[in-house]
mmCIF file with all atom_site columns, all heavy atoms in Angstrom:
data_model
loop_
_atom_site.group_PDB
_atom_site.id
_atom_site.type_symbol
_atom_site.label_atom_id
_atom_site.label_alt_id
_atom_site.label_comp_id
_atom_site.label_asym_id
_atom_site.label_entity_id
_atom_site.label_seq_id
_atom_site.pdbx_PDB_ins_code
_atom_site.Cartn_x
_atom_site.Cartn_y
_atom_site.Cartn_z
_atom_site.occupancy
_atom_site.B_iso_or_equiv
_atom_site.pdbx_formal_charge
_atom_site.auth_seq_id
_atom_site.auth_comp_id
_atom_site.auth_asym_id
_atom_site.auth_atom_id
_atom_site.pdbx_PDB_model_num
ATOM 1   N N   . VAL V 1 1  ? -0.502 -14.481 15.502  1.00 78.00 ? 1  VAL V N   1
ATOM 2   C CA  . VAL V 1 1  ? 0.814  -14.036 15.038  1.00 78.00 ? 1  VAL V CA  1
ATOM 3   C C   . VAL V 1 1  ? 0.810  -13.865 13.522  1.00 78.00 ? 1  VAL V C   1
ATOM 4   O O   . VAL V 1 1  ? 1.341  -12.878 12.983  1.00 78.00 ? 1  VAL V O   1
ATOM 5   C CB  . VAL V 1 1  ? 1.893  -15.044 15.475  1.00 78.00 ? 1  VAL V CB  1
ATOM 6   C CG1 . VAL V 1 1  ? 3.224  -14.734 14.822  1.00 78.00 ? 1  VAL V CG1 1
ATOM 7   C CG2 . VAL V 1 1  ? 2.035  -15.027 16.990  1.00 78.00 ? 1  VAL V CG2 1
ATOM 8   N N   . VAL V 1 2  ? 0.214  -14.815 12.832  1.00 79.00 ? 2  VAL V N   1
ATOM 9   C CA  . VAL V 1 2  ? 0.144  -14.713 11.371  1.00 79.00 ? 2  VAL V CA  1
ATOM 10  C C   . VAL V 1 2  ? -0.633 -13.467 10.961  1.00 79.00 ? 2  VAL V C   1
ATOM 11  O O   . VAL V 1 2  ? -0.244 -12.739 10.030  1.00 79.00 ? 2  VAL V O   1
ATOM 12  C CB  . VAL V 1 2  ? -0.487 -15.985 10.785  1.00 79.00 ? 2  VAL V CB  1
ATOM 13  C CG1 . VAL V 1 2  ? -0.756 -15.814 9.296   1.00 79.00 ? 2  VAL V CG1 1
ATOM 14  C CG2 . VAL V 1 2  ? 0.416  -17.183 11.024  1.00 79.00 ? 2  VAL V CG2 1
ATOM 15  N N   . SER V 1 3  ? -1.730 -13.183 11.659  1.00 82.00 ? 3  SER V N   1
ATOM 16  C CA  . SER V 1 3  ? -2.529 -11.994 11.330  1.00 82.00 ? 3  SER V CA  1
ATOM 17  C C   . SER V 1 3  ? -1.733 -10.713 11.549  1.00 82.00 ? 3  SER V C   1
ATOM 18  O O   . SER V 1 3  ? -1.746 -9.795  10.708  1.00 82.00 ? 3  SER V O   1
ATOM 19  C CB  . SER V 1 3  ? -3.796 -11.965 12.188  1.00 82.00 ? 3  SER V CB  1
ATOM 20  O OG  . SER V 1 3  ? -4.572 -13.115 11.964  1.00 82.00 ? 3  SER V OG  1
ATOM 21  N N   . VAL V 1 4  ? -1.013 -10.631 12.686  1.00 79.00 ? 4  VAL V N   1
ATOM 22  C CA  . VAL V 1 4  ? -0.208 -9.446  12.966  1.00 79.00 ? 4  VAL V CA  1
ATOM 23  C C   . VAL V 1 4  ? 0.916  -9.301  11.955  1.00 79.00 ? 4  VAL V C   1
ATOM 24  O O   . VAL V 1 4  ? 1.233  -8.197  11.490  1.00 79.00 ? 4  VAL V O   1
ATOM 25  C CB  . VAL V 1 4  ? 0.341  -9.506  14.405  1.00 79.00 ? 4  VAL V CB  1
ATOM 26  C CG1 . VAL V 1 4  ? 1.333  -8.382  14.653  1.00 79.00 ? 4  VAL V CG1 1
ATOM 27  C CG2 . VAL V 1 4  ? -0.794 -9.423  15.402  1.00 79.00 ? 4  VAL V CG2 1
ATOM 28  N N   . ALA V 1 5  ? 1.547  -10.427 11.599  1.00 78.00 ? 5  ALA V N   1
ATOM 29  C CA  . ALA V 1 5  ? 2.655  -10.379 10.642  1.00 78.00 ? 5  ALA V CA  1
ATOM 30  C C   . ALA V 1 5  ? 2.194  -9.934  9.263   1.00 78.00 ? 5  ALA V C   1
ATOM 31  O O   . ALA V 1 5  ? 2.961  -9.300  8.501   1.00 78.00 ? 5  ALA V O   1
ATOM 32  C CB  . ALA V 1 5  ? 3.325  -11.742 10.568  1.00 78.00 ? 5  ALA V CB  1
ATOM 33  N N   . LEU V 1 6  ? 0.975  -10.219 8.906   1.00 81.00 ? 6  LEU V N   1
ATOM 34  C CA  . LEU V 1 6  ? 0.473  -9.860  7.568   1.00 81.00 ? 6  LEU V CA  1
ATOM 35  C C   . LEU V 1 6  ? -0.145 -8.473  7.521   1.00 81.00 ? 6  LEU V C   1
ATOM 36  O O   . LEU V 1 6  ? -0.468 -7.977  6.428   1.00 81.00 ? 6  LEU V O   1
ATOM 37  C CB  . LEU V 1 6  ? -0.564 -10.899 7.115   1.00 81.00 ? 6  LEU V CB  1
ATOM 38  C CG  . LEU V 1 6  ? -0.022 -12.302 6.813   1.00 81.00 ? 6  LEU V CG  1
ATOM 39  C CD1 . LEU V 1 6  ? -1.158 -13.221 6.411   1.00 81.00 ? 6  LEU V CD1 1
ATOM 40  C CD2 . LEU V 1 6  ? 1.026  -12.263 5.711   1.00 81.00 ? 6  LEU V CD2 1
ATOM 41  N N   . MET V 1 7  ? -0.321 -7.859  8.659   1.00 84.00 ? 7  MET V N   1
ATOM 42  C CA  . MET V 1 7  ? -0.925 -6.516  8.645   1.00 84.00 ? 7  MET V CA  1
ATOM 43  C C   . MET V 1 7  ? -0.069 -5.470  7.928   1.00 84.00 ? 7  MET V C   1
ATOM 44  O O   . MET V 1 7  ? -0.585 -4.732  7.066   1.00 84.00 ? 7  MET V O   1
ATOM 45  C CB  . MET V 1 7  ? -1.227 -6.077  10.080  1.00 84.00 ? 7  MET V CB  1
ATOM 46  C CG  . MET V 1 7  ? -2.441 -6.769  10.696  1.00 84.00 ? 7  MET V CG  1
ATOM 47  S SD  . MET V 1 7  ? -2.684 -6.335  12.425  1.00 84.00 ? 7  MET V SD  1
ATOM 48  C CE  . MET V 1 7  ? -2.996 -4.579  12.279  1.00 84.00 ? 7  MET V CE  1
ATOM 49  N N   . PRO V 1 8  ? 1.254  -5.335  8.231   1.00 83.00 ? 8  PRO V N   1
ATOM 50  C CA  . PRO V 1 8  ? 2.064  -4.326  7.501   1.00 83.00 ? 8  PRO V CA  1
ATOM 51  C C   . PRO V 1 8  ? 2.122  -4.565  5.989   1.00 83.00 ? 8  PRO V C   1
ATOM 52  O O   . PRO V 1 8  ? 1.937  -3.620  5.214   1.00 83.00 ? 8  PRO V O   1
ATOM 53  C CB  . PRO V 1 8  ? 3.447  -4.440  8.158   1.00 83.00 ? 8  PRO V CB  1
ATOM 54  C CG  . PRO V 1 8  ? 3.171  -4.997  9.517   1.00 83.00 ? 8  PRO V CG  1
ATOM 55  C CD  . PRO V 1 8  ? 2.030  -5.925  9.326   1.00 83.00 ? 8  PRO V CD  1
ATOM 56  N N   . PRO V 1 9  ? 2.389  -5.820  5.545   1.00 84.00 ? 9  PRO V N   1
ATOM 57  C CA  . PRO V 1 9  ? 2.367  -6.026  4.086   1.00 84.00 ? 9  PRO V CA  1
ATOM 58  C C   . PRO V 1 9  ? 1.016  -5.693  3.467   1.00 84.00 ? 9  PRO V C   1
ATOM 59  O O   . PRO V 1 9  ? 0.946  -5.144  2.357   1.00 84.00 ? 9  PRO V O   1
ATOM 60  C CB  . PRO V 1 9  ? 2.697  -7.512  3.941   1.00 84.00 ? 9  PRO V CB  1
ATOM 61  C CG  . PRO V 1 9  ? 3.436  -7.867  5.175   1.00 84.00 ? 9  PRO V CG  1
ATOM 62  C CD  . PRO V 1 9  ? 2.841  -7.033  6.249   1.00 84.00 ? 9  PRO V CD  1
ATOM 63  N N   . THR V 1 10 ? -0.038 -6.009  4.190   1.00 84.00 ? 10 THR V N   1
ATOM 64  C CA  . THR V 1 10 ? -1.373 -5.692  3.673   1.00 84.00 ? 10 THR V CA  1
ATOM 65  C C   . THR V 1 10 ? -1.572 -4.184  3.572   1.00 84.00 ? 10 THR V C   1
ATOM 66  O O   . THR V 1 10 ? -2.165 -3.681  2.602   1.00 84.00 ? 10 THR V O   1
ATOM 67  C CB  . THR V 1 10 ? -2.444 -6.302  4.593   1.00 84.00 ? 10 THR V CB  1
ATOM 68  O OG1 . THR V 1 10 ? -2.248 -7.707  4.691   1.00 84.00 ? 10 THR V OG1 1
ATOM 69  C CG2 . THR V 1 10 ? -3.835 -6.039  4.045   1.00 84.00 ? 10 THR V CG2 1
ATOM 70  N N   . LEU V 1 11 ? -1.062 -3.453  4.583   1.00 84.00 ? 11 LEU V N   1
ATOM 71  C CA  . LEU V 1 11 ? -1.172 -1.996  4.541   1.00 84.00 ? 11 LEU V CA  1
ATOM 72  C C   . LEU V 1 11 ? -0.412 -1.415  3.347   1.00 84.00 ? 11 LEU V C   1
ATOM 73  O O   . LEU V 1 11 ? -0.927 -0.548  2.633   1.00 84.00 ? 11 LEU V O   1
ATOM 74  C CB  . LEU V 1 11 ? -0.629 -1.421  5.854   1.00 84.00 ? 11 LEU V CB  1
ATOM 75  C CG  . LEU V 1 11 ? -0.610 0.111   5.941   1.00 84.00 ? 11 LEU V CG  1
ATOM 76  C CD1 . LEU V 1 11 ? -2.030 0.667   5.837   1.00 84.00 ? 11 LEU V CD1 1
ATOM 77  C CD2 . LEU V 1 11 ? 0.053  0.553   7.238   1.00 84.00 ? 11 LEU V CD2 1
ATOM 78  N N   . ILE V 1 12 ? 0.829  -1.888  3.122   1.00 81.00 ? 12 ILE V N   1
ATOM 79  C CA  . ILE V 1 12 ? 1.624  -1.397  1.984   1.00 81.00 ? 12 ILE V CA  1
ATOM 80  C C   . ILE V 1 12 ? 0.928  -1.706  0.662   1.00 81.00 ? 12 ILE V C   1
ATOM 81  O O   . ILE V 1 12 ? 0.825  -0.855  -0.239  1.00 81.00 ? 12 ILE V O   1
ATOM 82  C CB  . ILE V 1 12 ? 3.034  -2.017  2.027   1.00 81.00 ? 12 ILE V CB  1
ATOM 83  C CG1 . ILE V 1 12 ? 3.786  -1.545  3.277   1.00 81.00 ? 12 ILE V CG1 1
ATOM 84  C CG2 . ILE V 1 12 ? 3.820  -1.658  0.773   1.00 81.00 ? 12 ILE V CG2 1
ATOM 85  C CD1 . ILE V 1 12 ? 5.113  -2.235  3.494   1.00 81.00 ? 12 ILE V CD1 1
ATOM 86  N N   . ALA V 1 13 ? 0.446  -2.949  0.545   1.00 83.00 ? 13 ALA V N   1
ATOM 87  C CA  . ALA V 1 13 ? -0.244 -3.331  -0.697  1.00 83.00 ? 13 ALA V CA  1
ATOM 88  C C   . ALA V 1 13 ? -1.507 -2.508  -0.891  1.00 83.00 ? 13 ALA V C   1
ATOM 89  O O   . ALA V 1 13 ? -1.870 -2.152  -2.037  1.00 83.00 ? 13 ALA V O   1
ATOM 90  C CB  . ALA V 1 13 ? -0.573 -4.821  -0.666  1.00 83.00 ? 13 ALA V CB  1
ATOM 91  N N   . SER V 1 14 ? -2.196 -2.180  0.200   1.00 84.00 ? 14 SER V N   1
ATOM 92  C CA  . SER V 1 14 ? -3.421 -1.387  0.086   1.00 84.00 ? 14 SER V CA  1
ATOM 93  C C   . SER V 1 14 ? -3.106 0.035   -0.362  1.00 84.00 ? 14 SER V C   1
ATOM 94  O O   . SER V 1 14 ? -3.840 0.621   -1.180  1.00 84.00 ? 14 SER V O   1
ATOM 95  C CB  . SER V 1 14 ? -4.147 -1.358  1.448   1.00 84.00 ? 14 SER V CB  1
ATOM 96  O OG  . SER V 1 14 ? -4.481 -2.670  1.841   1.00 84.00 ? 14 SER V OG  1
ATOM 97  N N   . ILE V 1 15 ? -2.017 0.596   0.184   1.00 82.00 ? 15 ILE V N   1
ATOM 98  C CA  . ILE V 1 15 ? -1.668 1.974   -0.187  1.00 82.00 ? 15 ILE V CA  1
ATOM 99  C C   . ILE V 1 15 ? -1.344 2.069   -1.664  1.00 82.00 ? 15 ILE V C   1
ATOM 100 O O   . ILE V 1 15 ? -1.851 2.944   -2.383  1.00 82.00 ? 15 ILE V O   1
ATOM 101 C CB  . ILE V 1 15 ? -0.480 2.473   0.666   1.00 82.00 ? 15 ILE V CB  1
ATOM 102 C CG1 . ILE V 1 15 ? -0.920 2.631   2.123   1.00 82.00 ? 15 ILE V CG1 1
ATOM 103 C CG2 . ILE V 1 15 ? 0.063  3.792   0.122   1.00 82.00 ? 15 ILE V CG2 1
ATOM 104 C CD1 . ILE V 1 15 ? 0.208  2.976   3.065   1.00 82.00 ? 15 ILE V CD1 1
ATOM 105 N N   . TYR V 1 16 ? -0.492 1.159   -2.127  1.00 78.00 ? 16 TYR V N   1
ATOM 106 C CA  . TYR V 1 16 ? -0.077 1.256   -3.537  1.00 78.00 ? 16 TYR V CA  1
ATOM 107 C C   . TYR V 1 16 ? -1.062 0.576   -4.481  1.00 78.00 ? 16 TYR V C   1
ATOM 108 O O   . TYR V 1 16 ? -0.814 0.495   -5.680  1.00 78.00 ? 16 TYR V O   1
ATOM 109 C CB  . TYR V 1 16 ? 1.331  0.679   -3.703  1.00 78.00 ? 16 TYR V CB  1
ATOM 110 C CG  . TYR V 1 16 ? 2.357  1.529   -3.018  1.00 78.00 ? 16 TYR V CG  1
ATOM 111 C CD1 . TYR V 1 16 ? 2.960  1.113   -1.845  1.00 78.00 ? 16 TYR V CD1 1
ATOM 112 C CD2 . TYR V 1 16 ? 2.699  2.777   -3.523  1.00 78.00 ? 16 TYR V CD2 1
ATOM 113 C CE1 . TYR V 1 16 ? 3.881  1.904   -1.198  1.00 78.00 ? 16 TYR V CE1 1
ATOM 114 C CE2 . TYR V 1 16 ? 3.628  3.580   -2.889  1.00 78.00 ? 16 TYR V CE2 1
ATOM 115 C CZ  . TYR V 1 16 ? 4.220  3.140   -1.721  1.00 78.00 ? 16 TYR V CZ  1
ATOM 116 O OH  . TYR V 1 16 ? 5.136  3.935   -1.085  1.00 78.00 ? 16 TYR V OH  1
ATOM 117 N N   . GLY V 1 17 ? -2.144 0.101   -3.927  1.00 80.00 ? 17 GLY V N   1
ATOM 118 C CA  . GLY V 1 17 ? -3.208 -0.402  -4.791  1.00 80.00 ? 17 GLY V CA  1
ATOM 119 C C   . GLY V 1 17 ? -4.262 0.643   -5.084  1.00 80.00 ? 17 GLY V C   1
ATOM 120 O O   . GLY V 1 17 ? -5.222 0.376   -5.818  1.00 80.00 ? 17 GLY V O   1
ATOM 121 N N   . MET V 1 18 ? -4.104 1.850   -4.493  1.00 80.00 ? 18 MET V N   1
ATOM 122 C CA  . MET V 1 18 ? -5.058 2.927   -4.744  1.00 80.00 ? 18 MET V CA  1
ATOM 123 C C   . MET V 1 18 ? -4.823 3.551   -6.124  1.00 80.00 ? 18 MET V C   1
ATOM 124 O O   . MET V 1 18 ? -3.695 3.552   -6.628  1.00 80.00 ? 18 MET V O   1
ATOM 125 C CB  . MET V 1 18 ? -4.928 3.988   -3.646  1.00 80.00 ? 18 MET V CB  1
ATOM 126 C CG  . MET V 1 18 ? -5.327 3.466   -2.265  1.00 80.00 ? 18 MET V CG  1
ATOM 127 S SD  . MET V 1 18 ? -5.333 4.739   -0.985  1.00 80.00 ? 18 MET V SD  1
ATOM 128 C CE  . MET V 1 18 ? -3.585 5.112   -0.885  1.00 80.00 ? 18 MET V CE  1
ATOM 129 N N   . ASN V 1 19 ? -5.837 4.106   -6.698  1.00 76.00 ? 19 ASN V N   1
ATOM 130 C CA  . ASN V 1 19 ? -5.784 4.623   -8.074  1.00 76.00 ? 19 ASN V CA  1
ATOM 131 C C   . ASN V 1 19 ? -5.845 6.153   -8.129  1.00 76.00 ? 19 ASN V C   1
ATOM 132 O O   . ASN V 1 19 ? -6.615 6.739   -8.885  1.00 76.00 ? 19 ASN V O   1
ATOM 133 C CB  . ASN V 1 19 ? -6.937 4.041   -8.913  1.00 76.00 ? 19 ASN V CB  1
ATOM 134 C CG  . ASN V 1 19 ? -6.792 2.535   -9.098  1.00 76.00 ? 19 ASN V CG  1
ATOM 135 O OD1 . ASN V 1 19 ? -5.692 2.058   -9.312  1.00 76.00 ? 19 ASN V OD1 1
ATOM 136 N ND2 . ASN V 1 19 ? -7.906 1.824   -9.013  1.00 76.00 ? 19 ASN V ND2 1
ATOM 137 N N   . PHE V 1 20 ? -5.051 6.811   -7.257  1.00 76.00 ? 20 PHE V N   1
ATOM 138 C CA  . PHE V 1 20 ? -4.979 8.267   -7.351  1.00 76.00 ? 20 PHE V CA  1
ATOM 139 C C   . PHE V 1 20 ? -4.029 8.681   -8.486  1.00 76.00 ? 20 PHE V C   1
ATOM 140 O O   . PHE V 1 20 ? -3.054 7.983   -8.771  1.00 76.00 ? 20 PHE V O   1
ATOM 141 C CB  . PHE V 1 20 ? -4.495 8.862   -6.010  1.00 76.00 ? 20 PHE V CB  1
ATOM 142 C CG  . PHE V 1 20 ? -5.514 8.713   -4.916  1.00 76.00 ? 20 PHE V CG  1
ATOM 143 C CD1 . PHE V 1 20 ? -5.329 7.782   -3.906  1.00 76.00 ? 20 PHE V CD1 1
ATOM 144 C CD2 . PHE V 1 20 ? -6.662 9.487   -4.918  1.00 76.00 ? 20 PHE V CD2 1
ATOM 145 C CE1 . PHE V 1 20 ? -6.262 7.632   -2.901  1.00 76.00 ? 20 PHE V CE1 1
ATOM 146 C CE2 . PHE V 1 20 ? -7.604 9.342   -3.908  1.00 76.00 ? 20 PHE V CE2 1
ATOM 147 C CZ  . PHE V 1 20 ? -7.416 8.431   -2.904  1.00 76.00 ? 20 PHE V CZ  1
ATOM 148 N N   . LYS V 1 21 ? -4.319 9.839   -9.071  1.00 74.00 ? 21 LYS V N   1
ATOM 149 C CA  . LYS V 1 21 ? -3.522 10.283  -10.216 1.00 74.00 ? 21 LYS V CA  1
ATOM 150 C C   . LYS V 1 21 ? -2.125 10.706  -9.804  1.00 74.00 ? 21 LYS V C   1
ATOM 151 O O   . LYS V 1 21 ? -1.136 10.413  -10.489 1.00 74.00 ? 21 LYS V O   1
ATOM 152 C CB  . LYS V 1 21 ? -4.241 11.445  -10.911 1.00 74.00 ? 21 LYS V CB  1
ATOM 153 C CG  . LYS V 1 21 ? -3.532 11.924  -12.171 1.00 74.00 ? 21 LYS V CG  1
ATOM 154 C CD  . LYS V 1 21 ? -4.358 13.008  -12.858 1.00 74.00 ? 21 LYS V CD  1
ATOM 155 C CE  . LYS V 1 21 ? -3.647 13.461  -14.149 1.00 74.00 ? 21 LYS V CE  1
ATOM 156 N NZ  . LYS V 1 21 ? -4.415 14.519  -14.833 1.00 74.00 ? 21 LYS V NZ  1
ATOM 157 N N   . THR V 1 22 ? -2.011 11.387  -8.654  1.00 76.00 ? 22 THR V N   1
ATOM 158 C CA  . THR V 1 22 ? -0.708 11.880  -8.208  1.00 76.00 ? 22 THR V CA  1
ATOM 159 C C   . THR V 1 22 ? -0.175 10.956  -7.125  1.00 76.00 ? 22 THR V C   1
ATOM 160 O O   . THR V 1 22 ? -0.553 11.043  -5.942  1.00 76.00 ? 22 THR V O   1
ATOM 161 C CB  . THR V 1 22 ? -0.830 13.310  -7.652  1.00 76.00 ? 22 THR V CB  1
ATOM 162 O OG1 . THR V 1 22 ? -1.404 14.151  -8.661  1.00 76.00 ? 22 THR V OG1 1
ATOM 163 C CG2 . THR V 1 22 ? 0.526  13.857  -7.254  1.00 76.00 ? 22 THR V CG2 1
ATOM 164 N N   . MET V 1 23 ? 0.671  10.029  -7.491  1.00 77.00 ? 23 MET V N   1
ATOM 165 C CA  . MET V 1 23 ? 1.366  9.145   -6.566  1.00 77.00 ? 23 MET V CA  1
ATOM 166 C C   . MET V 1 23 ? 2.809  9.055   -7.050  1.00 77.00 ? 23 MET V C   1
ATOM 167 O O   . MET V 1 23 ? 3.113  8.319   -7.994  1.00 77.00 ? 23 MET V O   1
ATOM 168 C CB  . MET V 1 23 ? 0.726  7.747   -6.531  1.00 77.00 ? 23 MET V CB  1
ATOM 169 C CG  . MET V 1 23 ? -0.692 7.741   -5.960  1.00 77.00 ? 23 MET V CG  1
ATOM 170 S SD  . MET V 1 23 ? -1.380 6.088   -5.807  1.00 77.00 ? 23 MET V SD  1
ATOM 171 C CE  . MET V 1 23 ? -0.354 5.418   -4.524  1.00 77.00 ? 23 MET V CE  1
ATOM 172 N N   . PRO V 1 24 ? 3.727  9.826   -6.422  1.00 79.00 ? 24 PRO V N   1
ATOM 173 C CA  . PRO V 1 24 ? 5.111  9.905   -6.926  1.00 79.00 ? 24 PRO V CA  1
ATOM 174 C C   . PRO V 1 24 ? 5.799  8.552   -7.005  1.00 79.00 ? 24 PRO V C   1
ATOM 175 O O   . PRO V 1 24 ? 6.626  8.327   -7.901  1.00 79.00 ? 24 PRO V O   1
ATOM 176 C CB  . PRO V 1 24 ? 5.803  10.808  -5.886  1.00 79.00 ? 24 PRO V CB  1
ATOM 177 C CG  . PRO V 1 24 ? 4.699  11.589  -5.259  1.00 79.00 ? 24 PRO V CG  1
ATOM 178 C CD  . PRO V 1 24 ? 3.511  10.698  -5.260  1.00 79.00 ? 24 PRO V CD  1
ATOM 179 N N   . GLU V 1 25 ? 5.489  7.655   -6.090  1.00 75.00 ? 25 GLU V N   1
ATOM 180 C CA  . GLU V 1 25 ? 6.186  6.380   -6.069  1.00 75.00 ? 25 GLU V CA  1
ATOM 181 C C   . GLU V 1 25 ? 5.932  5.538   -7.311  1.00 75.00 ? 25 GLU V C   1
ATOM 182 O O   . GLU V 1 25 ? 6.700  4.638   -7.639  1.00 75.00 ? 25 GLU V O   1
ATOM 183 C CB  . GLU V 1 25 ? 5.783  5.564   -4.827  1.00 75.00 ? 25 GLU V CB  1
ATOM 184 C CG  . GLU V 1 25 ? 6.201  6.182   -3.502  1.00 75.00 ? 25 GLU V CG  1
ATOM 185 C CD  . GLU V 1 25 ? 5.173  7.188   -3.014  1.00 75.00 ? 25 GLU V CD  1
ATOM 186 O OE1 . GLU V 1 25 ? 4.222  7.455   -3.768  1.00 75.00 ? 25 GLU V OE1 1
ATOM 187 O OE2 . GLU V 1 25 ? 5.302  7.676   -1.883  1.00 75.00 ? 25 GLU V OE2 1
ATOM 188 N N   . LEU V 1 26 ? 4.843  5.858   -8.027  1.00 74.00 ? 26 LEU V N   1
ATOM 189 C CA  . LEU V 1 26 ? 4.538  5.075   -9.229  1.00 74.00 ? 26 LEU V CA  1
ATOM 190 C C   . LEU V 1 26 ? 5.569  5.312   -10.329 1.00 74.00 ? 26 LEU V C   1
ATOM 191 O O   . LEU V 1 26 ? 5.696  4.487   -11.246 1.00 74.00 ? 26 LEU V O   1
ATOM 192 C CB  . LEU V 1 26 ? 3.135  5.423   -9.735  1.00 74.00 ? 26 LEU V CB  1
ATOM 193 C CG  . LEU V 1 26 ? 1.962  5.044   -8.815  1.00 74.00 ? 26 LEU V CG  1
ATOM 194 C CD1 . LEU V 1 26 ? 0.643  5.492   -9.428  1.00 74.00 ? 26 LEU V CD1 1
ATOM 195 C CD2 . LEU V 1 26 ? 1.936  3.550   -8.550  1.00 74.00 ? 26 LEU V CD2 1
ATOM 196 N N   . GLU V 1 27 ? 6.292  6.433   -10.234 1.00 76.00 ? 27 GLU V N   1
ATOM 197 C CA  . GLU V 1 27 ? 7.297  6.747   -11.262 1.00 76.00 ? 27 GLU V CA  1
ATOM 198 C C   . GLU V 1 27 ? 8.682  6.238   -10.883 1.00 76.00 ? 27 GLU V C   1
ATOM 199 O O   . GLU V 1 27 ? 9.615  6.367   -11.672 1.00 76.00 ? 27 GLU V O   1
ATOM 200 C CB  . GLU V 1 27 ? 7.361  8.275   -11.476 1.00 76.00 ? 27 GLU V CB  1
ATOM 201 C CG  . GLU V 1 27 ? 6.039  8.903   -11.873 1.00 76.00 ? 27 GLU V CG  1
ATOM 202 C CD  . GLU V 1 27 ? 5.543  8.383   -13.222 1.00 76.00 ? 27 GLU V CD  1
ATOM 203 O OE1 . GLU V 1 27 ? 6.406  8.024   -14.067 1.00 76.00 ? 27 GLU V OE1 1
ATOM 204 O OE2 . GLU V 1 27 ? 4.312  8.306   -13.440 1.00 76.00 ? 27 GLU V OE2 1
#
């Protein structure tokens, strides 16, 4: 259960941890 519960937060953190130049959400 803990692993499943942490999967979505981990996915969000992974997405916004990427270093692409064009990421609108960064602004």
Side-chain angles (χ1 to χ4, degrees):
V1 171
V2 172
S3 300
V4 172
L6 291 179
M7 285 175 63
T10 303
L11 177 62
I12 295 173
S14 300
I15 292 174
Y16 292 107
M18 295 186 293
N19 294 320
F20 291 106
K21 184 176 181 181
T22 303
M23 294 184 68
E25 295 86 354
L26 295 178
E27 303 297 330

